[in-house]
Structures are given as C-alpha cells and as structure tokens.
C-alpha cells in the first residue's frame, strides 16, 4: 500500500517521487499476484476528493455557494502552505484571488487550473499531464513494465496486480 506523506495537489512531485521510492524498495519482495495499491491517484477527474471541486454539491443544493467558497479559500491556503517554499510564489495569483471577492465558480476554475493533471490545467498549459495525484510516476512505471491495472478500483486509489 503506497501512501507517502500528505499530498499537495498543487505540487504533487515530492510525494510522487516518494511513492516511486516506496515501490522500488518493495519490488524485490513482490510475488506474482501481489496487489499494489497506490493512494491519492484518481483514475478519472470525477474521482478527485470532494473538497477539490464542490460545484456538483452546489448545483444540487447540498451546500450553498458561500460555504463552498469559504471551504475552497481555506483549502487553497492549506495547499499553498504544503508546497515547497521555493514554489509558493508560483501561486501568488491564486492566493490573491482567494483573498478577493472573486465568485466561487471563477475561483474554483482558477484552482483547478493550478492542479497538474486536471483538464483545466492541461487545457491552459496545452499539456497532456496524467491525472492529478501522487501516483503518476508509479503508474507510468508499472504501465511501462506491463503490470495490469484494475480500472474498477473505486475512489482515488489505483490497484495493480503484479504479474
């Protein structure tokens, strides 16, 4: 079960690299049929944790927009603080937007544009990043060496079966 330190969705590289080190340490001990579960690695964007995008909850009246915005502002502050000090300046516009009266929908869009691997990030940066999360390196490695993925795994975890 690969679950390194807490993931910073704005800067997933450190925890992604830690996942890869965990896997490299485990490989010599994996027998055929071993299950490798990678945490915080959604298969699809709609499997991101609810706090990442609460627009559906707002649309269905399960939470009001003001509450969703307050929670998003708090999360933005937490996510930026988890980033390496050298990377925090990259998120100045996101922090300023959170401190402003920017409407919730616009702030949510801006946040997702800063999360590597989301469709919003990929569109803005004209990239084809993998889905967000910390398992991107492990996923690419396992895919490259032919380890099948169980795409039915629920939530934002990925399940692989060692050949």
């Amino acid at each position: 079960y690969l679950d390194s330190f807490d993931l910073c969705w704005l800067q997933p590289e450190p925890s992604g690299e830690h996942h890869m080190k965990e896997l490299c340490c485990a490989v010599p001990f994996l027998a055929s049929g071993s299950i490798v579960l990678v945490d915080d690695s959604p298969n699809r964007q709609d499997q991101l944790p609810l706090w990442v995008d609460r627009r559906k909850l707002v649309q269905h009246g399960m939470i009001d927009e003001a509450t969703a915005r307050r929670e998003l502002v708090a999360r933005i502050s937490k996510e930026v603080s988890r980033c390496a000090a050298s990377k925090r300046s990259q998120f100045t516009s996101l922090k300023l937007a959170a401190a402003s009266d920017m409407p919730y929908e616009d702030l949510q869009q801006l946040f997702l544009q800063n999360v590597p691997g989301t469709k919003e990030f990929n569109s803005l940066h004209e990239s084809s990043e993998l889905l967000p999360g910390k398992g991107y390196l492990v996923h690419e490695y396992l895919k490259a060496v032919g380890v099948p993925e169980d795409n039915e795994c629920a939530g934002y975890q990925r399940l692989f079966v060692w050949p």
Side-chain angles (χ1 to χ4, degrees):
Y1 181 71
L2 305 181
D3 184 21
S4 66
F5 49 86
D6 285 342
L7 169 66
C8 172
W9 290 90
L10 298 173
Q11 185 189 8
E13 299 86 2
S15 53
E17 291 165 5
H18 185 82
H19 260 2
M20 192 62 201
K21 291 174 186 173
E22 289 176 321
L23 177 64
C24 288
C25 290
V27 164
F29 305 101
L30 296 176
S32 179
S34 294
I35 294 172
V36 178
L37 187 63
V38 185
D39 195 25
D40 296 331
S41 301
N43 287 322
R44 300 183 318 267
Q45 187 162 334
D46 66 348
Q47 293 176 333
L48 289 170
L50 278 178
W51 66 261
V52 174
D53 188 352
R54 293 185 177 245
R55 290 180 287 192
K56 287 184 182 177
L57 297 178
V58 171
Q59 291 167 355
H60 294 292
M62 298 172 76
I63 186 173
D64 65 90
E65 196 168 302
T67 300
R69 189 183 190 291
R70 270 194 312 277
E71 291 173 359
L72 178 59
V73 166
R75 180 49 82 161
I76 288 170
S77 176
K78 185 175 183 176
E79 287 299 305
V80 171
S81 72
R82 284 182 173 170
C83 292
S86 61
K87 298 276 271 187
R88 289 186 192 140
S89 63
Q90 294 178 6
F91 304 108
T92 302
S93 62
L94 181 59
K95 289 184 349 187
L96 290 172
S100 75
D101 59 355
M102 178 183 276
Y104 168 71
E105 187 73 31
D106 296 340
L107 183 59
Q108 181 66 66
Q109 181 73 13
L110 182 61
F111 176 68
L112 290 172
Q113 287 174 345
N114 282 276
V115 176
T118 61
K119 62 185 180 211
E120 293 83 359
F121 178 95
N122 292 343
S123 176
L124 179 68
H125 299 282
E126 298 178 357
S127 74
S128 58
E129 294 270 336
L130 294 174
L131 285 167
K134 57 188 173 184
Y136 65 97
L137 289 173
V138 167
H139 180 261
E140 284 299 296
Y141 169 77
L142 293 173
K143 186 175 157 186
V145 298
V147 177
E149 178 177 1
D150 176 355
N151 289 318
E152 300 303 316
C153 189
Y156 55 99
Q157 297 175 330
R158 288 184 174 171
L159 178 78
F160 298 87
V161 180
W162 199 256

